[in-house]
Amino acid sequence: MRVLLTGAGGQLAVDLVEAFADTVLTAVPRTELDVTDEAAVSTVVRAVAPDVVLNTAGLTDVDACEHDPEAAHAVHALGPWWLATACRDVGARLVTFSTDHVFGGAVPAGAADTGYGEADAPAPVNRYGRSKAAGEALVRETLAAHHLVRTSWFMGVHGSGFATAILAQAAAGTPLDVVDDQVGSPTSTRDLAQAVRRLVAARRFGTIHLANSGSCSRFALAEALLEDGGHDTPVRAVPTSAAPGGARRPAFSPLDTTHAASLGLGLPPWREAVARFVDDLVDTGRHTRGRA
Ligand SMILES: NC(=O)c1ccc[n+]([C@@H]2O[C@H](COP(=O)([O-])OP(=O)(O)OC[C@H]3O[C@@H](n4cnc5c(N)ncnc54)[C@H](OP(=O)(O)O)[C@@H]3O)[C@@H](O)[C@H]2O)c1
């Protein structure tokens, strides 16, 4: 199987390269393929002639997207559209990544217990989420052979984000204030990459939620990270309103992963994923465990 991966070098991309090691994989960074360039996308897809395209290109700074919605739209809506069009032209499949930020504006009946399902209508509360929802619609309209993967709250050994920031602050002995009124689904990018490999093998097209199972607040996630990292740094639960400014975040955006589990594509529980994520960070020398 020939695979083309965009956004090479990103945290999910690095884990996907490992998970797709059994394929003939061409991984291109932004410097070699800007997914917002329609002609370049067509040229590269034709040249590589892949069976599958993995599109990990994204602007993950939610606040920056709020200030530059045109850039967010270009990368999250137009990029996947150009890729879907090019895939259609060469008979390839497209895997592209969306987000829990397509939700949060309205919680449908039932979602309060299980989280959002694949069929729930997007209701984004920020421009990052709106640009991703637009990309979802364009991919669905353009290419039947799509795997549209909604996922959330990455914990990646090869990147930076909430989880690595919490551990870095704890290692520095900085007391932490963490919001306890945002609830979502943490996701190990390593677990996700392996699930995507299985999804591609299973050829199950359409929209699918892939996240570690279960959900928690940012505060509970920070507590788990500190526990597994061996830190006794004080952590205080604060409301989102304590740190005003920036893009609005969904207060409640867990992804219901029942569908993935029913296909044998489910990820392990989030609490187990935290433990393995911290172990991996320590093993790769990116974190030193505390003594607590
Ligand atoms: N992080 C999360 O918690 C999260 C949650 C849900 C969904 N997702 C989605 O999952 C995907 C991967 O996220 P990630 O956390 O792995 O992101 P990441 O580490 O920030 O990597 C994103 C990659 O995309 C590249 N890129 C940006 N604009 C591009 C463009 N116009 N053309 C080609 N490449 C471009 C970046 O290149 P440069 O480094 O050169 O800018 C970077 O290599 C994204 O679509 C993201 O929206 C992420």
Side-chain angles (χ1 to χ4, degrees):
M1 181 166 58
R2 294 176 68 82
V3 177
L4 170 66
L5 179 146
T6 68
Q11 60 181 337
L12 174 59
V14 174
D15 285 323
L16 282 169
V17 167
E18 194 178 312
F20 281 76
D22 62 324
T23 69
V24 179
L25 186 132
T26 305
V28 286
R30 184 215 286 249
T31 46
E32 287 174 32
L33 177 61
D34 179 341
V35 298
T36 69
D37 182 337
E38 184 180 8
V41 166
S42 173
T43 301
V44 171
V45 170
R46 282 177 188 281
V48 174
D51 302 295
V52 176
V53 173
L54 304 172
N55 175 37
T56 72
L59 301 177
T60 52
D61 183 333
V62 175
D63 295 330
C65 289
E66 203 67 12
H67 291 115
D68 193 349
E70 289 80 15
H73 185 78
V75 178
H76 300 146
L78 300 183
W81 192 18
W82 306 148
L83 285 163
T85 305
C87 283
R88 193 186 58 198
D89 291 347
V90 302
R93 296 186 262 158
L94 174 65
V95 181
T96 193
F97 295 90
S98 190
T99 166
D100 60 317
H101 280 244
V102 300
F103 298 124
V107 183
D113 298 326
T114 57
Y116 287 88
E118 283 85 352
D120 286 329
V125 298
N126 56 42
R127 286 165 161 163
Y128 172 73
R130 277 200 281 279
S131 66
K132 285 286 193 179
E136 289 187 1
L138 288 164
V139 167
R140 283 191 200 101
E141 278 170 23
T142 308
L143 180 72
H146 67 261
H147 303 282
L148 212 162
V149 176
R150 290 204 192 108
T151 182
S152 60
W153 291 25
F154 280 1
M155 300 181 290
V157 171
H158 306 288
S160 55
F162 176 84
T164 46
I166 291 290
L167 287 170
Q169 284 191 54
T174 313
L176 294 153
D177 284 354
V178 182
V179 298
D180 65 350
D181 54 2
Q182 291 176 25
V183 175
S185 304
T187 305
S188 149
T189 51
R190 202 168 186 191
D191 289 348
L192 173 60
Q194 287 162 4
V196 170
R197 181 69 190 89
R198 296 198 302 274
L199 173 67
V200 165
R203 300 182 71 91
R204 288 284 185 162
F205 296 127
T207 303
I208 188 162
H209 290 180
L210 294 179
N212 284 112
S213 64
S215 62
C216 64
S217 69
R218 291 272 184 200
F219 177 74
L221 176 55
E223 283 194 317
L225 288 160
L226 296 186
E227 184 182 339
D228 292 347
H231 299 286
D232 55 10
T233 313
V235 54
R236 195 167 61 119
V238 297
T240 300
S241 58
R248 192 175 151 201
R249 264 53 175 190
F252 180 86
S253 59
L255 297 173
D256 182 347
T257 55
T258 312
H259 174 55
S262 74
L263 299 174
L265 301 170
L267 279 68
W270 72 267
R271 190 63 188 82
E272 289 175 21
V274 169
R276 281 184 287 106
F277 166 71
V278 174
D279 286 348
D280 287 348
L281 266 190
V282 171
D283 288 349
T284 54
R286 290 202 57 204
H287 185 71
T288 304
R289 226 182 274 280
R291 276 195 285 263

